[in-house]
Amino acid sequence: MDQQAVDIKNKKTTAPTPQNTPINTAPINSQFNPSIPAITEEMETITTPGAASGNPALMSMLQGKLGNLLGEPLPASVQRRINGLKYLQSKHSELEGKFQMELLALEKKYSELYRPYYEKRAEIITGKYEPSEEEVALGAKVDEEDDEEGSDNDKDESKDAAKKDKMEDDDEEDENVAGIPEFWLTALKTHPQVGETISDDDCEVLKHLVDIRMAYLDKPGFRLEFEFEQNDFFSNKVLDKTYHYQENVSGGDYVYDYAKGCEINWKEGKDLTVTVETKKQRHKGTNKTRVVKRTVPAESFFNFFNPPVVPEDDADLDEEEAEGLDAKLEADYEMGEEFKEKIIPHAVDFFTGKALEYEDYEEEDEFEDDFLTDEDDEDEDDEDDDDEDDEDAQPAKGENAPECKQS
């Protein structure tokens, strides 16, 4: 696909790689941002316009300290050494590229090792496999080890006995429940970023989501697959989305190129990505009315499968449109990485909510960071005084309040 590449550069300290897992700010800077030209020998001069340029005495002093480095081309001996540093940097970049290639190969290797566990998880969720007593006991210990720290043994024994009795009672009540109902819907809604994109109507579809998988491509990139059971909304069994990286390694890191979604075969009247607006129009001459319908985009999780695309000719975009597209590309890349690195590997922790304890998700502060000035403080004091005066003006018990006269 001949798409214009979008370079990934972290806005703070690190550049993105396939193993990165951004949550707050995805490391994407598109080609709409101004680029910095490479440093040439002609540009490698040091100039300090300002107070020094208008002060001969200060300029003379600086020149005495810095020699000919101030406002003049670098000496040949210094330039020669800088070229030596550039050579070392180029060799370092070559090693970074090899590191990323080997790291990606290692990720692919372990992705295959994880696969049997993911397949067994899907069977438990859909009710095709019932975990053994040993698996259940070992799984229960995972949380018990954390819960039992600092607690008394007697309390633990009573807690375990109560839990066992409750499980026995539950077994009698839920014999007809297969697997873990709404597992993936619950996990996705728990994730702060993904949960914000899920509407109430989306929930009805995501109840039928039975598995989410990730697979690496032969070329740099990965594919996400969302498997659904039969439902009333679309005929697809699997919805997929692919993220592609450029094949060359830039600056020691893989560079995000583009994403490609899939077509959702919505059943008639079930498309959640659009809303149908109905409007009546009256003909001025005949006075007859007609009903006009039009579809408008709707907020939906399933817009995830229709990723933003960089136009072939981005010259037609103004600055505001370019920034908007850049933000969409950033959010789309970020969500793909969240599925790949967090949601799929740790799905049960998102289902139970435990993931929110160890993931560094920012919580919105309920209090605004508005600091009062002395004047604001005085105004508040005046308002408090007014309130006290109003309370004093209230009628005493047994007296009638003054009537509100209307003219």
Side-chain angles (χ1 to χ4, degrees):
M1 183 174 180
D2 187 15
Q3 285 281 355
Q4 213 165 349
V6 179
D7 192 7
I8 301 178
K9 301 288 184 183
N10 194 298
K11 298 177 180 176
K12 296 183 180 179
T13 57
T14 59
T17 66
Q19 73 272 15
N20 274 3
T21 57
I23 177 62
N24 297 322
T25 304
I28 292 184
N29 284 338
S30 78
Q31 68 278 13
F32 304 119
N33 292 336
S35 59
I36 300 175
I39 297 177
T40 61
E41 292 186 13
E42 291 76 8
M43 296 171 62
E44 287 174 342
T45 60
I46 302 175
T47 58
T48 56
S53 60
N55 189 329
L58 180 59
M59 179 67 74
S60 176
M61 181 188 70
L62 291 173
Q63 285 180 336
K65 290 181 177 293
L66 302 177
N68 293 327
L69 294 180
L70 183 62
E72 297 181 9
L74 295 173
S77 59
V78 176
Q79 180 61 55
R80 181 176 181 277
R81 293 166 193 140
I82 289 179
N83 287 335
L85 294 180
K86 289 181 179 179
Y87 166 74
L88 296 177
Q89 183 64 50
S90 67
K91 302 303 290 184
H92 184 277
S93 297
E94 289 180 13
L95 280 178
E96 284 184 318
K98 292 180 180 179
F99 168 74
Q100 292 299 332
M101 293 175 65
E102 293 183 12
L103 186 60
L104 180 57
L106 188 63
E107 287 186 351
K108 289 183 177 180
K109 172 186 174 181
Y110 274 86
S111 177
E112 291 303 313
L113 295 176
Y114 295 146
R115 189 174 304 281
Y117 299 107
Y118 293 155
E119 291 174 350
K120 183 65 68 67
R121 178 178 68 187
E123 291 178 353
I124 293 176
I125 292 171
T126 55
K128 296 179 181 178
Y129 173 79
E130 195 66 31
S132 65
E133 293 299 327
E134 181 182 5
E135 291 171 332
V136 172
L138 293 175
K141 285 185 178 180
V142 173
D143 288 335
E144 286 178 1
E145 290 176 357
D146 296 334
D147 296 338
E148 290 177 357
E149 290 182 2
S151 59
D152 297 328
N153 292 332
D154 293 340
K155 292 181 179 180
D156 291 342
E157 292 176 0
S158 60
K159 185 190 298 184
D160 292 340
K163 186 182 295 184
K164 185 176 181 181
D165 293 340
K166 185 177 186 303
M167 290 179 64
E168 291 176 354
D169 293 339
D170 291 342
D171 288 341
E172 297 176 0
E173 296 177 1
D174 61 11
E175 289 180 356
N176 297 326
V177 177
I180 306 176
E182 302 180 13
F183 175 87
W184 286 105
L185 169 60
T186 304
L188 295 184
K189 292 202 70 175
T190 302
H191 189 283
Q193 181 187 5
V194 178
E196 289 181 354
T197 68
I198 299 176
S199 68
D200 292 340
D201 291 334
D202 291 334
C203 291
E204 296 302 315
V205 190
L206 293 174
K207 288 178 181 179
H208 301 281
L209 179 60
V210 295
D211 196 19
I212 304 178
R213 300 181 291 269
M214 189 281 297
Y216 284 101
L217 308 177
D218 293 335
K219 296 181 178 180
F222 61 93
R223 179 176 61 256
L224 299 173
E225 297 179 350
F226 297 72
E227 182 180 346
F228 290 82
E229 61 187 3
Q230 187 174 358
N231 60 82
D232 297 331
F233 293 86
F234 48 74
S235 58
N236 308 64
K237 181 175 176 59
V238 176
L239 301 180
D240 64 79
K241 185 173 183 179
T242 308
Y243 287 86
H244 295 267
Y245 294 92
Q246 292 184 6
E247 293 190 44
N248 60 309
V249 179
S250 174
D253 295 296
Y254 284 101
V255 178
Y256 170 67
D257 196 0
Y258 66 94
K260 184 178 180 181
C262 69
E263 181 180 356
I264 303 177
N265 300 319
W266 295 100
K267 296 180 180 180
E268 185 176 358
K270 297 293 186 176
D271 190 346
L272 301 182
T273 62
V274 296
T275 300
V276 179
E277 293 183 349
T278 304
K279 185 178 181 181
K280 288 185 177 181
Q281 291 183 344
R282 185 181 298 276
H283 193 278
K284 294 181 179 179
T286 61
N287 206 29
K288 292 182 178 180
T289 60
R290 66 174 182 174
V291 177
V292 178
K293 295 182 178 180
R294 67 168 185 170
T295 58
V296 295
E299 296 292 332
S300 171
F301 166 78
F302 292 94
N303 289 323
F304 176 71
F305 299 96
N306 183 26
V309 178
V310 179
E312 295 182 2
D313 185 9
D314 58 282
D316 296 336
L317 298 176
D318 58 30
E319 184 177 355
E320 185 176 349
E321 291 174 331
E323 290 178 355
L325 178 58
D326 195 23
K328 291 179 181 179
L329 290 167
E330 181 177 313
D332 183 70
Y333 168 79
E334 179 182 324
M335 189 176 293
E337 287 288 329
E338 289 295 302
F339 274 109
K340 172 177 172 284
E341 297 292 337
K342 296 184 179 180
I343 297 176
I344 294 176
H346 307 289
V348 67
D349 288 340
F350 281 98
F351 177 81
T352 61
K354 184 179 179 181
L356 300 180
E357 299 176 8
Y358 59 78
E359 292 291 353
D360 186 21
Y361 294 121
E362 291 186 353
E363 298 182 359
E364 295 184 2
D365 195 348
E366 296 180 358
F367 300 95
E368 297 181 357
D369 295 333
D370 291 336
F371 297 95
L372 297 177
T373 63
D374 292 339
E375 294 180 359
D376 294 332
D377 225 358
E378 292 176 1
D379 292 341
E380 285 202 353
D381 290 340
D382 293 340
E383 290 179 3
D384 291 341
D385 293 340
D386 292 341
D387 292 340
E388 291 176 1
D389 293 341
D390 292 340
E391 290 177 1
D392 294 340
Q394 293 295 325
K397 187 175 181 179
E399 295 183 3
N400 293 328
E403 295 181 0
C404 178
K405 297 183 179 180
Q406 297 180 351
S407 57

